Amino acid sequence: MEQLKHECGVAMIRLLKPLDYYEKKYGTWAYGFNKLYLMMEKQHNRGQEGAGIASVSLKNEPGTEYMFREKAEGKDAITEIFSRVTEEMKGELLMGHLRYSTTGKSGLTFVHPFLRRNNWRAKNLCLCGNFNMTNIDEVFSFLTEQGQSPRIYGDSYITLELMGHRLDREVERLFAEAKEQGLQGTDITDYIDNHVEMANVLKKTMCHYDGGYVMCGLTGSGEMFSVRDPWGIRPAFWYQDDEIIALASERPVLQTTFDLQAEDIRELKPGQALIVRKNGESHLEQIMPAQELSACSFERIYFSRGSDRDIYQERKRLGEQLTPAILKAIDGDVINTVFSYIPNTAEVAYYGMTDGFRQQCYNVRTEKVVWKDIKMRTFIADNSERNDLAAHVYDISYGSLRPYEDNLVIIDDSIVRGTTLRESIFKILDRLHPKKIVMVSSSPQIRYPDYYGIDMARLEEFCAFRATMALIEERGLWQLVNDTYLACKQELAKPKEEMQNCVRAVYEPFTVDEINQKIVEMLRPADMQAPIELVFQSIEGLHEACPNHPGDWYFTGHYPTPGGNKLVNQAFINYVEQKLKREQ
C-alpha cells in the first residue's frame, strides 16, 4: 500500500530508585536514556519526520537547570537527539516522542515535546502526545474568551496553553492552602511541589476535547502523567516494577526493552490516566467517563508492530478469512495459481491466507513475487520524472510465474489511494504475464477520512470514493450528490452532538463488487494485458478477526465522536464546492 503517515509514538520512563543505584547496578549513569532510546527505536515505525526527548531532575538546586529538552527533524532524528545527551541532563523523569505530521504542519517548531517555562518548578510543563483533536477551533475560542492569546493555531500548542493554564490554577490553589497553614518562604514551595494533583489539571483540561489521543507530560516539580481518550481510539501500554515505571504506544516495545512477558504489561483504559507523583507513588485515575469502545482497527491491520502476540494472530485471521472469496475469484483453480504479498506489512496476512487454503487441503504454490527495492528520493523536481522513478520502488521476481498459465493472487494490507498500484505494482506484475491478477486487501474498502491522527483527511484521496463518484456520474445520479450536499449543510447547522454522517448516502446505491469493478477501471494502466479482480475484506470479517478493536470509521463512516461527523460532512461540502469551482 501507499505509505500512510501515522499518528505518533510516545515513550515515558520514571526511575524509582536514586540515580546512583542504576549506575552501580548497570554500570552507567545513562541507564534511563539507554532504555528510552531503545523504546523510541522500536517505535520508529510510528514517526519518521522528527523526534524529541525531555528529562526532569528532582535534585538540582535553584539556579541550575532541572528540565531539559532536545528535538530534531528527519529520519535520523533519534540518533541525533541522543548524541546530544550529556550527564548534566540525567534525571528521574524521561519522556520521548516520534512524530509524523498529520495536519500539514512540518518543521522543528512542531516537533514534540512542547515546553512551557516558569520560575515556579511546579508551573513548568512539558507535553507530548499521540493525538489529533477534531474541535481545536472550539478550544481556541475557549482560551481567547478567557483573555489568552496563543502564539500558534495548532492542537499541540493550544493544548499546552490550556493545560498550562489549569496547572497555574492548581499551583495557586496550593499556594493559598499553604498560606492558610501559616507556611512561609521555601516551605510554601515545598508544599506545592509535594501536593500537586495532576488529576485536577487533567479533568479540567481534557473535558474540552473531542478526538483520539494519548497525552503525556512532565512537570518541573516531578509529576508524570499519561491520559487516554475516553473512546480508547489511540493505544497506550505501561509496566511497573520496583525500579521503573514505563509507558509506550505499543506493547512489544516494553516487552523487548525490559525483557517482559505480555502478561506483565497493562493497557491504559479509555478515559484513564496513569499518574506518578513526585515521590514516585503511582496510581490510575478515571479522568473522564469511558465512552463506547472505539479502539482503532487500523492499528491492528497496519500501523502497530506485527510482533505483538495478539496483532500477529489477528493479521493472520484477516488473511485466512479471505480464502472463500479468493477461491471464487480464481474459479477454484488453485493448481495454476501462485500466492504472494506486497512487502512488508502484508506478510503476516499472507501467512494466514495460505494457511486458510492448506486447512482446506489445497497444496498452494507460494513465491516472493514483489520486492520493495529502494526508497526513492524525490530529488528531481519535475513531477513526470519523479513519478517515473517512483514506479521503480518495487521490483519483481522474474520467472516466478508460468506466463499466460498461472493466476497471481497477491495480498496487501489495504488499498487507500491506489496510486502505487496504478503507477508501479500493476505495471510490473504485468511483465510476468499472469493469466489473471487477483489483488487482495486484508482490510475493507477505505471510504471515509480519519480525523484522529492519520493523514487521510480528504474524501477525494480514496480510490473507493472516486470510483463511487464515477458510478454516480455514469448513471446520472447527480441529484444524490446535491441531496447529500444539502443534507451535510443542514447537519452543520445543528449542535455538534446531534450531527450524523450524511456522506454515507452516496455509497448506498452500489454494491461492493460494483465499486471494485470501477476501481479496477480507474487504476488499470492503459497498456496492461492481464485481467484484474479486487477482493476486499468484509466488515464482518474485520470484526471477527479484531474483536476488541471495533473502531471502523474508515470503512463504515461510524465515527466515535461528534467531531468526526462534523468534519466528514464538511469534507463532502468542500469536495462538491471545489468540483463546481473547477468546472466553472
Side-chain angles (χ1 to χ4, degrees):
M1 65 171 282
E2 307 95 324
Q3 186 182 37
L4 291 174
K5 294 178 182 178
H6 184 214
E7 82 290 336
C8 310
V10 295
M12 302 186 81
I13 294 176
R14 174 60 156 90
L15 301 176
L16 299 175
K17 302 285 189 181
L19 293 178
D20 58 1
Y21 168 90
Y22 303 93
E23 187 165 1
K24 290 176 183 176
K25 182 172 181 178
Y26 298 105
T28 174
W29 64 267
Y31 169 81
F33 281 108
N34 290 344
K35 293 298 186 183
L36 187 68
Y37 171 79
L38 185 56
M39 290 172 70
M40 292 177 69
E41 282 288 6
K42 291 295 179 182
Q43 294 183 102
H44 212 161
N45 57 300
R46 301 186 75 89
Q48 298 174 31
E49 288 189 2
I53 57 174
S55 66
V56 174
S57 170
L58 299 176
K59 305 299 182 183
N60 291 21
E61 296 295 324
T64 60
E65 185 58 85
Y66 54 87
M67 202 167 191
F68 304 89
R69 179 185 61 170
E70 289 288 343
K71 303 195 295 183
E73 289 186 274
K75 63 182 180 64
D76 297 320
I78 299 175
T79 303
E80 182 178 341
I81 56 178
F82 278 94
S83 71
R84 300 185 207 146
V85 171
T86 62
E87 189 169 359
E88 287 71 28
M89 294 173 61
K90 68 181 180 181
E92 292 84 354
L93 287 73
L94 307 175
M95 181 168 73
H97 185 267
L98 296 129
R99 182 174 194 266
Y100 261 140
S101 61
T102 57
T103 59
K105 295 179 178 179
S106 299
L108 194 61
T109 302
F110 296 98
V111 175
H112 301 205
F114 297 96
L115 184 57
R116 190 175 190 261
R117 291 288 199 179
N118 195 283
N119 273 349
W120 290 78
R121 285 187 68 133
K123 288 187 177 183
N124 284 268
L125 177 64
C126 195
L127 204 62
C128 76
N130 169 9
F131 62 89
N132 203 56
M133 307 303 187
T134 69
N135 66 330
I136 198 63
D137 54 339
E138 298 170 12
V139 182
F140 183 81
S141 296
F142 174 77
L143 277 174
T144 54
E145 286 167 7
Q146 295 186 56
Q148 296 192 54
S149 183
R151 294 180 296 113
I152 296 175
Y153 187 89
D155 51 8
S156 300
Y157 269 93
I158 290 173
T159 301
L160 179 71
E161 290 305 321
L162 178 58
M163 191 175 294
H165 171 70
R166 297 314 319 177
L167 182 60
D168 289 347
R169 300 290 82 77
E170 172 67 10
V171 171
E172 288 159 13
R173 178 185 71 82
L174 293 170
F175 181 87
E177 274 187 12
K179 294 289 285 185
E180 287 177 4
Q181 295 178 24
L183 299 178
Q184 296 181 354
T186 58
D187 289 339
I188 295 177
T189 306
D190 293 339
Y191 180 85
I192 292 171
D193 290 353
N194 291 322
H195 290 84
V196 171
E197 292 290 346
M198 280 308 303
N200 292 344
V201 177
L202 295 174
K203 287 175 180 177
K204 292 175 181 177
T205 301
M206 304 316 299
C207 63
H208 293 282
Y209 284 105
D210 178 305
Y213 56 83
V214 172
M215 194 74 66
C216 302
L218 311 173
T219 73
S221 59
E223 304 292 312
M224 185 176 96
F225 64 87
S226 180
V227 58
R228 189 181 184 190
D229 68 80
W231 300 272
I233 296 171
R234 300 272 72 93
F237 298 86
W238 64 282
Y239 167 75
Q240 179 172 357
D241 59 25
D242 62 340
E243 291 186 346
I244 56 100
I245 298 171
L247 179 138
S249 294
E250 299 187 24
R251 182 169 62 180
V253 172
L254 295 172
Q255 288 183 249
T256 300
T257 302
F258 298 101
D259 191 17
L260 304 172
Q261 299 299 312
E263 292 75 16
D264 297 329
I265 297 165
R266 299 169 67 181
E267 185 172 6
L268 203 60
K269 304 298 184 187
Q272 192 178 68
L274 171 65
I275 299 175
V276 187
R277 305 292 303 267
K278 177 185 177 181
N279 61 8
E281 293 178 359
S282 67
H283 69 282
L284 296 169
E285 185 145 352
Q286 198 68 32
I287 300 302
M288 291 155 294
Q291 303 297 316
E292 182 178 357
L293 180 65
S294 297
C296 174
S297 58
F298 229 129
E299 285 278 354
R300 320 302 281 184
I301 297 167
Y302 172 63
F303 289 120
S304 291
R305 294 168 63 86
S307 58
D308 182 275
R309 178 192 65 186
D310 296 338
I311 292 175
Y312 183 81
Q313 295 302 326
E314 289 169 14
R315 290 182 182 174
K316 285 192 71 176
R317 284 197 296 271
L318 285 167
E320 181 184 329
Q321 288 170 181
L322 289 160
T323 303
I326 296 169
L327 198 58
K328 181 181 177 182
I330 60 173
D331 296 321
D333 188 8
V334 177
I335 293 175
N336 295 307
T337 300
V338 171
F339 295 83
S340 193
Y341 63 94
I342 304 295
N344 290 317
T345 53
E347 185 175 1
V348 178
Y350 160 77
Y351 294 139
M353 175 182 68
T354 53
D355 282 353
F357 277 93
R358 292 188 181 104
Q359 288 166 17
Q360 296 187 38
C361 300
Y362 289 107
N363 184 22
V364 295
R365 294 165 55 201
T366 61
E367 301 284 354
K368 186 166 184 180
V369 174
V370 178
W371 298 77
K372 194 164 187 179
D373 204 10
I374 52 174
K375 183 173 182 181
M376 301 300 299
R377 298 185 182 274
T378 54
F379 57 87
I380 294 178
D382 181 79
N383 284 337
S384 61
E385 292 184 60
R386 189 164 61 233
N387 287 339
D388 183 61
L389 282 175
H392 297 282
V393 170
Y394 291 94
D395 209 340
I396 51 172
S397 298
Y398 291 96
S400 54
L401 273 71
R402 294 176 301 188
Y404 307 107
E405 294 183 34
D406 289 333
N407 300 310
L408 173 61
V409 172
I410 191 156
I411 191 169
D412 203 348
D413 45 59
S414 57
I415 300 171
V416 186
R417 302 177 181 96
T419 309
T420 305
L421 290 179
R422 183 183 64 246
E423 300 295 335
S424 177
I425 290 172
F426 283 157
K427 290 180 180 180
I428 63 172
L429 293 180
D430 201 44
R431 296 174 193 166
L432 298 173
H433 306 297
K435 184 170 65 175
K436 180 181 184 180
I437 296 173
V438 179
M439 187 73 218
V440 182
S441 169
S442 66
S443 73
Q445 288 178 354
I446 296 173
R447 299 181 170 189
Y448 302 93
D450 177 71
Y451 299 109
Y452 307 116
I454 300 168
D455 69 335
M456 298 192 297
R458 295 187 303 139
L459 284 162
E460 57 268 35
E461 292 182 354
F462 308 121
C463 59
F465 179 80
R466 296 197 306 272
T468 300
M469 300 311 289
L471 287 170
I472 286 173
E473 186 168 4
E474 281 181 9
R475 301 183 188 182
L477 298 176
W478 275 107
Q479 187 59 44
L480 173 60
V481 175
N482 186 59
D483 291 345
T484 303
Y485 173 79
L486 293 176
C488 290
K489 286 268 194 178
Q490 291 168 0
E491 288 300 301
L492 291 182
K494 297 178 181 179
K496 183 177 65 175
E497 291 69 24
E498 297 177 14
M499 292 182 194
Q500 302 295 317
N501 176 5
C502 295
V503 184
R504 299 178 73 235
V506 300
Y507 293 101
E508 289 176 1
F510 311 109
T511 66
V512 170
D513 286 342
E514 286 175 313
I515 296 173
N516 283 353
Q517 291 170 22
K518 181 54 65 174
I519 292 173
V520 169
E521 287 180 32
M522 296 172 66
L523 300 185
R524 180 187 178 85
D527 56 350
M528 187 171 179
Q529 296 180 2
I532 303 170
E533 184 170 341
L534 290 180
V535 172
F536 280 91
Q537 182 68 254
S538 67
I539 300 298
E540 296 76 17
L542 170 68
H543 291 312
E544 186 178 338
C546 309
N548 299 318
H549 290 74
D552 62 2
W553 55 91
Y554 315 90
F555 319 113
T556 65
H558 295 306
Y559 288 93
T561 77
N565 290 327
K566 175 184 176 181
L567 292 179
V568 74
N569 288 326
Q570 185 63 59
F572 190 78
I573 291 169
N574 294 344
Y575 166 77
V576 173
E577 292 179 349
Q578 288 167 9
K579 182 176 177 63
L580 291 173
K581 187 176 180 181
R582 287 194 300 269
E583 292 173 351
Q584 288 174 353

